[in-house]
Amino acid sequence: VRTFCGGSDYSEWTATPVTFATPCVSTTVPYSEDFETATEPDLPVCTSRENAGDGNDWETVDDPGDGFTSMTLQYGYHSDFDADAWFFIRGLDLTGGTSYRISFRYGSASTTFAENLKVMYGDAPVSTSMTNLIVDYPNILSGAPLNSSVDFIPPTTGVYYIGFNAYSDADMFNLYVDDISIIVTPTC
């Protein structure tokens, strides 16, 4: 890295390596995320997470069981603290008044310890911007994958982020999400 001082005048090159990343730009639908490009436990490129509490974070795991047999997003329980962990997909260019369908698989690792999952959307990938509820699944007791398919309509045109919120009580078990897909809702 060096400074451009004007014309053909530049500073000396820095001797210290610099690490940086360029921000991801929003994308259009159809959109899908199956977590197969992730390297365990990292998230896929252009997705993010936020821990709004004291519990654990979302991470990817390979073949966690309970019917999930490939790379999967997992919230692993914390023995002492409730979950308030968020996973955000890449920003989507959505048109106001248009119906979109989000589909995904979700489930828990237990039929005894209940998990809770909310899916919301907003204008930034942070929990405080998640102001529009898409679906809420309290008391997930599956031990196997479940399928979700829900339609939602953003009020205005813009870039929106969809957040998956694990909000389970402390000392439950594992919560899974996989095979996220967003399309324009079919008209037939």
Side-chain angles (χ1 to χ4, degrees):
V1 174
R2 65 181 180 168
T3 303
F4 172 66
C5 301
S8 62
D9 191 20
Y10 295 90
S11 71
E12 296 296 318
W13 289 100
T14 62
T16 306
V18 176
T19 303
F20 64 93
T22 56
C24 293
V25 296
S26 57
T27 190
T28 58
V29 295
Y31 170 87
S32 65
E33 180 57 69
D34 62 7
F35 303 98
E36 296 307 313
T37 62
T39 302
E40 185 178 4
D42 299 330
L43 299 179
V45 173
C46 295
T47 65
S48 61
R49 66 179 155 216
E50 175 191 348
N51 193 335
D54 293 318
N56 291 324
D57 282 322
W58 285 103
E59 61 184 15
T60 56
V61 295
D62 190 21
D63 191 15
D66 303 299
F68 293 89
T69 59
S70 61
M71 287 299 285
T72 303
L73 186 66
Q74 173 185 284
Y75 176 82
Y77 73 98
H78 193 287
S79 298
D80 299 320
F81 298 109
D82 295 347
D84 191 4
W86 288 86
F87 167 77
F88 304 103
I89 67 167
R90 178 183 204 149
L92 298 175
D93 298 316
L94 302 180
T95 303
T98 299
S99 181
Y100 295 92
R101 179 168 293 162
I102 182 169
S103 302
F104 57 93
R105 294 185 322 133
Y106 70 100
S108 67
S110 174
T111 57
T112 306
F113 299 104
E115 298 294 340
N116 302 321
L117 175 68
K118 250 190 292 197
V119 181
M120 300 181 77
Y121 70 97
D123 60 5
V126 294
S127 61
T128 54
S129 292
M130 296 290 112
T131 56
N132 303 286
L133 179 67
I134 296 175
V135 68
D136 187 2
Y137 293 119
N139 205 36
I140 302 167
L141 293 164
S142 65
L146 301 167
N147 294 311
S148 178
S149 184
V150 181
D151 295 343
F152 67 100
I153 301 173
T156 59
T157 298
V159 176
Y160 290 95
Y161 297 83
I162 296 176
F164 291 78
N165 178 221
Y167 67 99
S168 306
D169 291 336
D171 207 24
M172 292 293 109
F173 209 179
N174 297 329
L175 176 64
Y176 307 113
V177 172
D178 202 1
D179 300 326
I180 301 166
S181 169
I182 296 109
I183 61 170
V184 173
T185 303
T187 57
C188 59

mmCIF file of all heavy atoms in Angstrom, residues 13 17 20 24-25 30 36 45 50 73 91 94 99 105-106 114 116 139 141 145 155 168 175:
data_model
loop_
_atom_site.group_PDB
_atom_site.id
_atom_site.type_symbol
_atom_site.label_atom_id
_atom_site.label_comp_id
_atom_site.label_asym_id
_atom_site.label_seq_id
_atom_site.Cartn_x
_atom_site.Cartn_y
_atom_site.Cartn_z
ATOM 1 N N TRP A 13 6.304 2.440 -0.466
ATOM 2 C CA TRP A 13 5.452 1.301 -0.148
ATOM 3 C C TRP A 13 5.570 0.979 1.331
ATOM 4 O O TRP A 13 6.632 1.122 1.920
ATOM 5 C CB TRP A 13 5.863 0.072 -0.963
ATOM 6 C CG TRP A 13 5.531 0.167 -2.419
ATOM 7 C CD1 TRP A 13 6.367 0.495 -3.432
ATOM 8 C CD2 TRP A 13 4.267 -0.076 -3.013
ATOM 9 N NE1 TRP A 13 5.707 0.487 -4.629
ATOM 10 C CE2 TRP A 13 4.399 0.130 -4.401
ATOM 11 C CE3 TRP A 13 3.013 -0.436 -2.519
ATOM 12 C CZ2 TRP A 13 3.359 -0.017 -5.301
ATOM 13 C CZ3 TRP A 13 1.978 -0.593 -3.399
ATOM 14 C CH2 TRP A 13 2.144 -0.371 -4.773
ATOM 15 N N PRO A 17 2.682 -5.977 6.052
ATOM 16 C CA PRO A 17 1.522 -6.512 5.314
ATOM 17 C C PRO A 17 0.219 -5.964 5.875
ATOM 18 O O PRO A 17 0.099 -5.724 7.073
ATOM 19 C CB PRO A 17 1.608 -8.025 5.553
ATOM 20 C CG PRO A 17 2.965 -8.285 6.087
ATOM 21 C CD PRO A 17 3.452 -7.016 6.702
ATOM 22 N N PHE A 20 -7.176 -6.934 4.329
ATOM 23 C CA PHE A 20 -8.459 -6.267 4.203
ATOM 24 C C PHE A 20 -9.384 -7.134 3.366
ATOM 25 O O PHE A 20 -8.956 -8.064 2.704
ATOM 26 C CB PHE A 20 -8.318 -4.877 3.561
ATOM 27 C CG PHE A 20 -7.828 -4.911 2.145
ATOM 28 C CD1 PHE A 20 -8.721 -4.921 1.089
ATOM 29 C CD2 PHE A 20 -6.471 -4.944 1.865
ATOM 30 C CE1 PHE A 20 -8.282 -4.962 -0.220
ATOM 31 C CE2 PHE A 20 -6.018 -4.985 0.561
ATOM 32 C CZ PHE A 20 -6.925 -4.989 -0.489
ATOM 33 N N CYS A 24 -19.248 -7.275 0.479
ATOM 34 C CA CYS A 24 -20.099 -7.988 -0.471
ATOM 35 C C CYS A 24 -21.205 -7.056 -0.947
ATOM 36 O O CYS A 24 -21.745 -6.267 -0.167
ATOM 37 C CB CYS A 24 -20.726 -9.210 0.196
ATOM 38 S SG CYS A 24 -19.521 -10.462 0.617
ATOM 39 N N VAL A 25 -21.536 -7.156 -2.203
ATOM 40 C CA VAL A 25 -22.648 -6.375 -2.734
ATOM 41 C C VAL A 25 -23.908 -7.228 -2.662
ATOM 42 O O VAL A 25 -23.852 -8.449 -2.578
ATOM 43 C CB VAL A 25 -22.384 -5.919 -4.191
ATOM 44 C CG1 VAL A 25 -21.190 -4.976 -4.235
ATOM 45 C CG2 VAL A 25 -22.165 -7.098 -5.109
ATOM 46 N N PRO A 30 -33.493 -15.522 -7.913
ATOM 47 C CA PRO A 30 -33.455 -16.526 -6.853
ATOM 48 C C PRO A 30 -32.110 -16.526 -6.120
ATOM 49 O O PRO A 30 -31.070 -16.242 -6.701
ATOM 50 C CB PRO A 30 -33.674 -17.838 -7.595
ATOM 51 C CG PRO A 30 -33.245 -17.584 -8.992
ATOM 52 C CD PRO A 30 -33.492 -16.132 -9.253
ATOM 53 N N GLU A 36 -22.562 -25.547 1.663
ATOM 54 C CA GLU A 36 -21.541 -26.477 1.161
ATOM 55 C C GLU A 36 -20.221 -25.796 0.852
ATOM 56 O O GLU A 36 -19.184 -26.456 0.800
ATOM 57 C CB GLU A 36 -22.056 -27.234 -0.063
ATOM 58 C CG GLU A 36 -23.253 -28.134 0.224
ATOM 59 C CD GLU A 36 -23.029 -29.110 1.374
ATOM 60 O OE1 GLU A 36 -21.973 -29.767 1.428
ATOM 61 O OE2 GLU A 36 -23.917 -29.198 2.247
ATOM 62 N N VAL A 45 -19.050 -17.206 2.628
ATOM 63 C CA VAL A 45 -18.692 -15.846 2.242
ATOM 64 C C VAL A 45 -19.967 -15.030 2.047
ATOM 65 O O VAL A 45 -20.979 -15.531 1.552
ATOM 66 C CB VAL A 45 -17.864 -15.877 0.941
ATOM 67 C CG1 VAL A 45 -17.618 -14.473 0.416
ATOM 68 C CG2 VAL A 45 -16.547 -16.593 1.172
ATOM 69 N N GLU A 50 -24.291 -12.483 14.457
ATOM 70 C CA GLU A 50 -24.211 -11.572 15.600
ATOM 71 C C GLU A 50 -24.671 -12.331 16.828
ATOM 72 O O GLU A 50 -25.705 -13.003 16.794
ATOM 73 C CB GLU A 50 -25.116 -10.359 15.381
ATOM 74 C CG GLU A 50 -25.186 -9.435 16.578
ATOM 75 C CD GLU A 50 -26.272 -8.382 16.458
ATOM 76 O OE1 GLU A 50 -26.840 -8.193 15.366
ATOM 77 O OE2 GLU A 50 -26.580 -7.755 17.480
ATOM 78 N N LEU A 73 -25.876 -25.299 9.066
ATOM 79 C CA LEU A 73 -25.749 -24.247 10.066
ATOM 80 C C LEU A 73 -26.260 -24.804 11.392
ATOM 81 O O LEU A 73 -27.343 -25.398 11.446
ATOM 82 C CB LEU A 73 -26.572 -23.033 9.641
ATOM 83 C CG LEU A 73 -26.455 -21.789 10.494
ATOM 84 C CD1 LEU A 73 -25.044 -21.197 10.413
ATOM 85 C CD2 LEU A 73 -27.483 -20.753 10.063
ATOM 86 N N GLY A 91 -27.239 -9.569 1.523
ATOM 87 C CA GLY A 91 -28.285 -8.621 1.186
ATOM 88 C C GLY A 91 -28.959 -8.971 -0.125
ATOM 89 O O GLY A 91 -28.298 -9.375 -1.090
ATOM 90 N N LEU A 94 -34.796 -6.508 -3.242
ATOM 91 C CA LEU A 94 -36.199 -6.921 -3.301
ATOM 92 C C LEU A 94 -37.062 -5.733 -3.724
ATOM 93 O O LEU A 94 -36.752 -4.586 -3.418
ATOM 94 C CB LEU A 94 -36.664 -7.452 -1.946
ATOM 95 C CG LEU A 94 -35.889 -8.645 -1.374
ATOM 96 C CD1 LEU A 94 -36.468 -9.064 -0.034
ATOM 97 C CD2 LEU A 94 -35.864 -9.815 -2.350
ATOM 98 N N SER A 99 -44.356 -10.473 -3.801
ATOM 99 C CA SER A 99 -44.345 -11.588 -2.860
ATOM 100 C C SER A 99 -43.143 -12.487 -3.124
ATOM 101 O O SER A 99 -42.899 -12.898 -4.262
ATOM 102 C CB SER A 99 -45.642 -12.400 -2.984
ATOM 103 O OG SER A 99 -45.640 -13.470 -2.065
ATOM 104 N N ARG A 105 -34.817 -25.857 5.489
ATOM 105 C CA ARG A 105 -34.979 -26.980 6.408
ATOM 106 C C ARG A 105 -34.470 -26.539 7.772
ATOM 107 O O ARG A 105 -33.500 -25.798 7.868
ATOM 108 C CB ARG A 105 -34.209 -28.204 5.925
ATOM 109 C CG ARG A 105 -34.756 -28.770 4.636
ATOM 110 C CD ARG A 105 -34.098 -30.079 4.181
ATOM 111 N NE ARG A 105 -32.672 -30.146 4.406
ATOM 112 C CZ ARG A 105 -32.047 -31.193 4.965
ATOM 113 N NH1 ARG A 105 -32.717 -32.261 5.322
ATOM 114 N NH2 ARG A 105 -30.737 -31.183 5.130
ATOM 115 N N TYR A 106 -35.129 -27.009 8.817
ATOM 116 C CA TYR A 106 -34.700 -26.694 10.172
ATOM 117 C C TYR A 106 -35.034 -27.875 11.064
ATOM 118 O O TYR A 106 -35.798 -28.771 10.692
ATOM 119 C CB TYR A 106 -35.392 -25.410 10.675
ATOM 120 C CG TYR A 106 -36.869 -25.578 10.935
ATOM 121 C CD1 TYR A 106 -37.348 -25.762 12.231
ATOM 122 C CD2 TYR A 106 -37.793 -25.589 9.896
ATOM 123 C CE1 TYR A 106 -38.713 -25.932 12.466
ATOM 124 C CE2 TYR A 106 -39.147 -25.755 10.121
ATOM 125 C CZ TYR A 106 -39.595 -25.926 11.411
ATOM 126 O OH TYR A 106 -40.933 -26.110 11.638
ATOM 127 N N ALA A 114 -36.450 -28.363 23.972
ATOM 128 C CA ALA A 114 -37.057 -27.496 22.958
ATOM 129 C C ALA A 114 -36.109 -26.402 22.487
ATOM 130 O O ALA A 114 -35.429 -25.766 23.285
ATOM 131 C CB ALA A 114 -38.324 -26.863 23.508
ATOM 132 N N ASN A 116 -35.866 -22.845 19.825
ATOM 133 C CA ASN A 116 -36.699 -21.763 19.308
ATOM 134 C C ASN A 116 -35.973 -21.059 18.168
ATOM 135 O O ASN A 116 -34.793 -20.727 18.292
ATOM 136 C CB ASN A 116 -37.012 -20.737 20.405
ATOM 137 C CG ASN A 116 -37.706 -21.356 21.602
ATOM 138 O OD1 ASN A 116 -38.547 -22.227 21.451
ATOM 139 N ND2 ASN A 116 -37.352 -20.918 22.784
ATOM 140 N N ASN A 139 -40.525 -23.885 20.444
ATOM 141 C CA ASN A 139 -40.769 -25.256 20.885
ATOM 142 C C ASN A 139 -40.528 -26.304 19.798
ATOM 143 O O ASN A 139 -41.364 -27.183 19.568
ATOM 144 C CB ASN A 139 -42.194 -25.372 21.448
ATOM 145 C CG ASN A 139 -42.307 -26.515 22.426
ATOM 146 O OD1 ASN A 139 -41.363 -26.785 23.167
ATOM 147 N ND2 ASN A 139 -43.445 -27.183 22.431
ATOM 148 N N LEU A 141 -39.191 -29.560 18.630
ATOM 149 C CA LEU A 141 -38.837 -30.850 19.234
ATOM 150 C C LEU A 141 -38.866 -31.915 18.139
ATOM 151 O O LEU A 141 -39.724 -32.784 18.132
ATOM 152 C CB LEU A 141 -39.840 -31.211 20.342
ATOM 153 C CG LEU A 141 -39.825 -30.312 21.573
ATOM 154 C CD1 LEU A 141 -41.082 -30.494 22.397
ATOM 155 C CD2 LEU A 141 -38.580 -30.605 22.405
ATOM 156 N N PRO A 145 -35.134 -33.364 10.339
ATOM 157 C CA PRO A 145 -35.404 -32.132 9.585
ATOM 158 C C PRO A 145 -36.893 -31.878 9.368
ATOM 159 O O PRO A 145 -37.668 -32.802 9.138
ATOM 160 C CB PRO A 145 -34.713 -32.378 8.242
ATOM 161 C CG PRO A 145 -33.717 -33.446 8.489
ATOM 162 C CD PRO A 145 -34.304 -34.303 9.573
ATOM 163 N N PRO A 155 -42.406 -3.991 2.107
ATOM 164 C CA PRO A 155 -43.252 -2.829 1.821
ATOM 165 C C PRO A 155 -42.687 -1.870 0.770
ATOM 166 O O PRO A 155 -43.451 -1.228 0.059
ATOM 167 C CB PRO A 155 -43.363 -2.126 3.181
ATOM 168 C CG PRO A 155 -42.134 -2.551 3.916
ATOM 169 C CD PRO A 155 -41.825 -3.931 3.432
ATOM 170 N N SER A 168 -33.292 -19.928 22.019
ATOM 171 C CA SER A 168 -33.612 -21.031 22.934
ATOM 172 C C SER A 168 -33.133 -20.736 24.353
ATOM 173 O O SER A 168 -32.225 -19.943 24.567
ATOM 174 C CB SER A 168 -32.945 -22.320 22.436
ATOM 175 O OG SER A 168 -33.301 -22.569 21.102
ATOM 176 N N LEU A 175 -29.668 -26.727 17.424
ATOM 177 C CA LEU A 175 -30.655 -26.244 16.469
ATOM 178 C C LEU A 175 -29.979 -26.174 15.108
ATOM 179 O O LEU A 175 -28.831 -25.732 15.011
ATOM 180 C CB LEU A 175 -31.145 -24.853 16.893
ATOM 181 C CG LEU A 175 -32.119 -24.129 15.978
ATOM 182 C CD1 LEU A 175 -33.440 -24.891 15.875
ATOM 183 C CD2 LEU A 175 -32.371 -22.714 16.506
#
